[in-house]
Each structure stands twice: as C-alpha cells, then as structure tokens.
Amino acid sequence: MELNRIEKPLEQMRELLKSLPSDPAPEEVHKLRTRARHIEAVVAALEPVNGKAAKQLVKTIKPVRKAAGGVRDMDVLTADLLGMPQDGMNGSLARLAEHLRNMRQQGASDLMDAVSQQRKAARRQLKKFVRTVKSVAEGKKPARIEVTRALASEDGDGSLASDLIEELRRWPRLNARNIHSFRLKVKELRYILQLFPHADEKLIAALGKVKDEIGDWHDWQQLGEIAHTVLDTESDKALLRRIQAVEKRKFIRALASAESLRRHYLQASGNHRKAS
C-alpha cells in the first residue's frame, strides 16, 4: 500500500472546511460528507500509526459529517420525490416537498454551526495527520507491527481487508433490518481496498454497486417514513402507495445485488476473488 494515497482526501477536506459557503450547494454538501466518511474509515484503519492523532481527527470530523449527512439526505429525498409522476397527487407531493425543503434549511443551519465550531481544530488535526502519513511513507517514522498487520495487503490473512471480508462473508441472512449495516461495512472495505494500487478492480466495482443500490433503497425507506409523519393516510394515500411500491422494488434489487456480491466474491474465507 502507498500511504501517500491518503494525503489527497485529507488535503481536500482541509480546503472544503476553509471555503464552504454559508449556503452550500448539494454538490458541496455531498463532497463534504463523502470526504468525511472516507477519512473516518481510512484514519481508523491507520490508528496504529498514531493512535492519539487518529482519535482526535475522527472526533473533530464526526460532527461535521453527521450534519452534512442530514442536509445531503434532504437533497437526495427531494430529488427522488420530484422525479415521481405528479398526476393524481392532489397536492400531496408539493406538501411533502415543502416539508423536505424546510428540513433541509434547518439542516444547513446545523451544518454551518458544526463547521464553525470544528473548522479550526479539524483543519489543524488534518494537517497534523498528513505530516504523520508523510513521515511513515518516507520512512522517517517506521510503521509499527500493527500497521503491517492491518494494511500490509488487501487480501492477506490477518489484514484489515481480510477481516472485513470475513465479517461480510459470515453476515447473517440479509433483510431490511440489517442490510444497511451491511452496506456500511461494504463501504469501509471499498475505502481500504482503494488504498492499494493493485487491488481487485472488479471487486471494488462490485462493492460500489452494492453500496449504491442499498443506499438507493435506504433513501426511499427514509422518504416513506417522513411521508407517513407528514401526510394523511387517506387523502394522501396515492402518493404513500407509490413511495411504498418504489421502496419495495428498490429493496428487491438491493438484496439481489448484495447476495450476488457474497456469492461471487465472499464464499471462501479470506478470499475475495471470484471463483473460476
């Protein structure tokens, strides 16, 4: 693994925290959330390099990531909702869209509060961790045995990647209650594998597909939950039924994709490559 591959997202996060406008566009919020999740996963994996610095960095970034997540969710849900046919909706769709916009506005305010509170400390911790990574990459600060165990290879026994693969392989039967947690582990594994220049690109692509399809279903599940709190079960039943129908289709697709990943890549313990 090339440790200097980690430097770019760290530097990008520092710049995002510095230049984020008071009313961030959906693309900026998405980038902020994605970078934060990426950094949390990778820094946690690299904790043995400098445990204190890693923990401090994750602690400062987490509030920003969570706040960005709330805004990003509203952006995605609004786009999903407005993409639905509006015939026969009797104003239901417009009322739900307005509720989502209000939630987004509040979320954006919470995000800017979090960025304001964490910006200075987070940028300082990011810079500090970049120096640590560079020291290890340049051989000025030897990596400890624990780092070698965690990151020496993307599929070796005892590596972080192989531990994640084993956890996914042994995952209980997938259902609506545990598939989102499965997705979080899939994302973590994908982030780790992307650190390796010779990682299995087909596996990375398969992990990305599962991540996206489970995430798509989860968005519609969230939309359904919000709709049921805002809309009337009788007068707005047409929209509620349409959202429920889409959610069901998305879940079937997500489940099939996740099962395909396990069948083709995760059958053998510690081995993520597709069987010949």
Side-chain angles (χ1 to χ4, degrees), residues 78-211:
T78 300
D80 286 341
L81 179 65
L82 296 181
M84 300 183 72
Q86 300 189 27
D87 56 296
M89 290 297 99
N90 192 32
S92 305
L93 192 149
R95 290 199 306 278
L96 182 54
E98 179 64 21
H99 181 78
L100 295 177
R101 281 191 287 269
N102 290 337
M103 291 180 69
R104 204 270 185 192
Q105 186 175 10
Q106 180 59 54
S109 177
D110 293 342
L111 172 58
M112 295 316 301
D113 287 344
V115 171
S116 178
Q117 292 172 11
Q118 302 295 332
R119 178 187 282 118
K120 186 175 180 179
R123 295 188 78 243
R124 183 174 63 249
Q125 293 299 332
L126 284 162
K127 186 175 183 179
K128 182 178 180 180
F129 206 81
V130 166
R131 288 200 299 266
T132 299
V133 170
K134 286 182 176 179
S135 294
V136 173
E138 295 169 0
K140 296 177 181 177
K141 180 177 181 179
R144 300 176 187 174
I145 295 174
E146 292 88 344
V147 181
T148 303
R149 177 190 176 278
L151 299 170
S153 72
E154 71 269 27
D155 59 355
D157 291 339
S159 71
L160 178 62
S162 68
D163 289 346
L164 286 168
I165 290 169
E166 183 68 10
E167 185 174 359
L168 292 172
R169 188 184 74 84
R170 294 181 176 276
W171 202 268
R173 183 174 181 178
L174 289 166
N175 54 49
R177 293 184 300 276
N178 66 18
I179 198 169
H180 182 62
S181 297
F182 181 85
R183 176 180 184 263
L184 296 180
K185 291 297 181 181
V186 164
K187 289 179 68 173
E188 186 178 356
L189 175 59
R190 185 168 179 266
Y191 284 142
I192 298 303
L193 292 182
Q194 287 176 325
L195 296 175
F196 297 92
H198 304 298
D200 188 335
E201 293 295 335
K202 290 184 178 180
L203 173 58
I204 291 175
L207 291 167
K209 180 181 179 182
V210 171
K211 170 186 70 71

Side-chain angles (χ1 to χ4, degrees), residues 24 29 66-76 104 106-109 111:
V29 175
K66 292 183 71 174
V71 180
R72 176 60 181 171
D73 287 347
M74 293 308 104
D75 288 337
V76 172
R104 204 270 185 192
Q106 180 59 54
S109 177
L111 172 58

